[in-house]
């Protein structure tokens, strides 16, 4: 991920980082699921304080652009049409797996409903 900061800009560094990551995510240059560098690593790469990058990441997370998955790291979030597309992929994978296990379509749907917290049918 290549970000560039303008030290002469009136825009604070955290906002420059936030805006650039948001723009890269929106354009698809950083696709959903792309792992971002750690706060420390990005701060070191950009020559910024850790708190500056942490603030940018916090604001990106609050706006739904990124998501933190604990120790796994920080990733570009799946949103809107991307979420629909990812859901369709997951459904196809589930269908293939239940067929391989020999489950009937009806039972597979019942299990999916249960997993989603709803009643079957």
């Amino acid at each position: 991920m290549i970000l560039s900061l303008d030290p002469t800009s009136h825009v604070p560094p955290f906002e420059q980082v936030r805006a650039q990551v948001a723009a890269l995510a929106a354009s698809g240059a950083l696709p959903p699921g792309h792992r971002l560098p750690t706060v420390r690593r990005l701060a070191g790469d950009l020559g910024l304080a850790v708190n500056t990058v942490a603030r940018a990441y916090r604001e990106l997370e609050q706006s739904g652009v990124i998501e933190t998955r604990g120790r796994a790291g920080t990733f570009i979030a799946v949103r809107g049409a991307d979420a629909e597309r990812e859901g369709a992929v997951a459904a196809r994978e589930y269908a293939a797996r239940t067929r391989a296990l020999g489950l009937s379509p009806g039972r597979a749907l019942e299990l999916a409903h249960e997993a989603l917290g709803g009643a079957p049918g």
Side-chain angles (χ1 to χ4, degrees):
M1 177 172 71
I2 299 175
L3 301 179
S4 61
L5 298 179
D6 179 0
T8 63
S9 173
H10 69 283
V11 177
F14 84 88
E15 177 58 22
Q16 291 183 50
V17 171
R18 188 210 61 76
Q20 288 181 49
V21 171
L24 290 168
S27 73
L30 291 177
H34 177 85
R35 185 174 186 186
L36 297 175
T38 64
V39 168
R40 269 188 210 289
R41 180 166 173 214
L42 186 56
D45 290 349
L46 297 174
L48 295 173
V50 171
N51 287 341
T52 301
V53 175
R55 181 173 178 187
Y57 273 26
R58 253 190 328 275
E59 292 195 9
L60 287 162
E61 189 162 24
Q62 288 171 351
S63 63
V65 174
I66 66 173
E67 60 186 358
T68 301
R69 301 179 192 160
R71 292 187 164 275
T74 303
F75 299 83
I76 298 297
V78 177
R79 304 183 315 187
D82 295 324
E84 288 287 325
R85 186 172 42 256
E86 292 293 319
V89 168
R92 285 192 298 275
E93 290 171 353
Y94 177 71
R97 179 76 175 131
T98 57
R99 274 194 299 275
L101 292 170
L103 296 174
S104 71
R107 181 62 184 142
L109 286 173
E110 288 174 5
L111 291 170
H113 279 284
E114 289 171 18
L116 292 169

